[in-house]
């Protein structure tokens, strides 16, 4: 059964809502141990697959704080609704200056409700921080942003997260990927979705070729199964790091075309071939897949890693 995405209350660059079904398919049975995500981002993958036990890490303290507060009931449907109605009203009355007031306040003294407000009313619904770690996305120019239906949608997303967390044994931790992966044992499963090298770079998303190599080395040495998300190619470029890092050893590369709806102009215009790299194979079970609308990932023969 393909997992249906549980849409989280926050959005981020490279969010994998559209790949959740494929990741679930490829992962197969959930692990006896923990589902580990060293780059949890919006959390959409874990929230949709709903493993019983999970370790979800990210260097972005604002994301982790938000989920920790939902988990601890410090932030719930009631407080989110109250906040969004009050501050949505101010945005409507004062206009975009109010967005910048909240942004300034958040950058002086970060808190989860302002973070949610900014993430859901900024341009393109992205999450970007400047070199000093300050949120710097401009306003989306819709003073009516927090209309009642939109507030209800966000409140329901928070409720859905709270519901999953109430029946799960999950830990959210601010950690670098190396610390997160050092926790992996033989019964765990790792889903790694790092920033794409050379794209979307900001305070929390600086990602170099060396990081990619370090990640590949760490993943290759894991005692458990893993899936690594990366990009394979678009019309203009091919990810040379796939061949460089993954052509030796028993790894598998699956690809699928995917359109991004947020991000740089190049990605908006052109499909990106996504890659999922694993240290385990995958048998096609076509009967299960019949009638499914989404394209499935296709395994790339080794010789065609680089097209
Ligand atoms: C592509 S996003 C993950 C998207 C996520 N899978 C989703 O569907 O929403 C990458 C995430 O990695 C985090 N990150 C960047 N560098 C990191 C590092 N060195 N260690 C851990 N997390 C990092 C970023 O803050 C960002 O949230």
């Amino acid at each position: 059964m393909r997992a249906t995405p549980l849409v989280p209350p926050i959005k981020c660059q490279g969010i994998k809502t559209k790949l959740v079904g494929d990741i679930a398919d490829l992962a197969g049975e959930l692990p006896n141990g923990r589902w580990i995500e060293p780059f949890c981002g919006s959390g959409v993958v874990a929230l949709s697959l709903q493993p019983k036990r999970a370790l979800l890490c990210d260097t972005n303290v604002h994301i982790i704080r938000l989920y920790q507060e939902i988990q601890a009931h410090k932030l719930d449907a009631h407080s989110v609704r109250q906040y969004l109605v009050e501050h949505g009203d101010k945005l409507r009355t004062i206009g975009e200056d109010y967005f910048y007031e909240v942004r300034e306040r958040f950058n002086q003294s970060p808190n989860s409700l302002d973070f949610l407000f900014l993430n859901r009313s900024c341009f393109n619904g992205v999450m970007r921080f400047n070199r000093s770690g300050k949120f710097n996305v401009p306003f989306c120019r819709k003073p009516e942003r927090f209309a009642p239906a939109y507030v209800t949608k966000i409140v329901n997303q928070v409720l859905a997260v709270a519901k999953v967390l109430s029946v799960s044994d999950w830990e959210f931790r601010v950690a670098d990927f190396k610390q997160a992966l050092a926790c992996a044992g033989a019964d765990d499963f790792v889903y790694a979705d790092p920033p794409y090298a050379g794209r979307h770079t900001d305070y929390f998303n600086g990602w170099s070729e060396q990081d990619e190599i370090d990640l590949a080395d760490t993943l290759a040495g894991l005692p458990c199964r893993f899936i690594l998300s990366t990009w394979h190619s678009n019309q203009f470029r091919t990810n040379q790091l796939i061949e460089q890092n993954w052509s030796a050893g028993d790894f598998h590369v699956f690809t699928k075309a995917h359109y991004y709806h947020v991000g740089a102009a190049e990605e908006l215009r052109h499909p990106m071939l996504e890659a999922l790299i694993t240290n385990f194979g995958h048998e096609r079970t076509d009967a299960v897949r019949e009638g499914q609308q989404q394209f499935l990932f296709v395994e790339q023969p080794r010789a065609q890693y680089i097209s």
Side-chain angles (χ1 to χ4, degrees), residues 2 17-23 25 230-233 253-259 271-276 293-300:
R2 283 169 79 83
T17 317
K18 294 216 168 115
L19 299 188
V20 157
D22 300 282
I23 293 163
D25 254 5
T230 187
W231 67 282
H232 178 275
S233 51
V253 178
F254 300 84
T255 58
K256 175 183 175 175
H258 177 56
Y259 284 86
M272 163 82 88
L273 202 58
E274 294 281 340
L276 292 182
Q293 295 197 336
Q294 275 198 317
F295 262 18
L296 287 153
F297 272 89
V298 176
E299 181 158 7
Q300 294 281 318

Side-chain angles (χ1 to χ4, degrees), residues 144-201:
E144 286 295 325
R145 192 73 187 133
F146 293 102
Y150 191 56
V151 170
T152 298
K153 185 174 172 181
I154 299 170
V155 167
N156 286 342
Q157 288 164 346
V158 170
L159 260 180
V161 169
K163 201 168 156 197
V164 173
L165 297 185
S166 71
V167 294
S168 315
D169 176 10
W170 289 11
E171 182 188 350
F172 292 94
R173 199 190 292 174
V174 178
D176 181 75
F177 74 89
K178 288 180 191 161
Q179 294 166 281
L181 291 176
C183 301
D187 285 344
D188 295 333
F189 189 103
V190 168
Y191 171 62
D193 183 18
Y196 291 174
R199 300 171 160 267
H200 303 314
T201 47

Side-chain angles (χ1 to χ4, degrees), residues 195-212:
Y196 291 174
R199 300 171 160 267
H200 303 314
T201 47
D202 77 351
Y203 187 77
F204 293 109
N205 282 291
W207 192 254
S208 64
E209 276 196 31
Q210 190 55 49
D211 289 322
E212 189 83 3

Side-chain angles (χ1 to χ4, degrees), residues 49-60:
L49 270 60
Q50 299 177 14
K52 266 207 151 14
R53 298 174 58 215
L55 171 64
L56 305 172
C57 300
D58 204 289
T59 45
N60 186 327

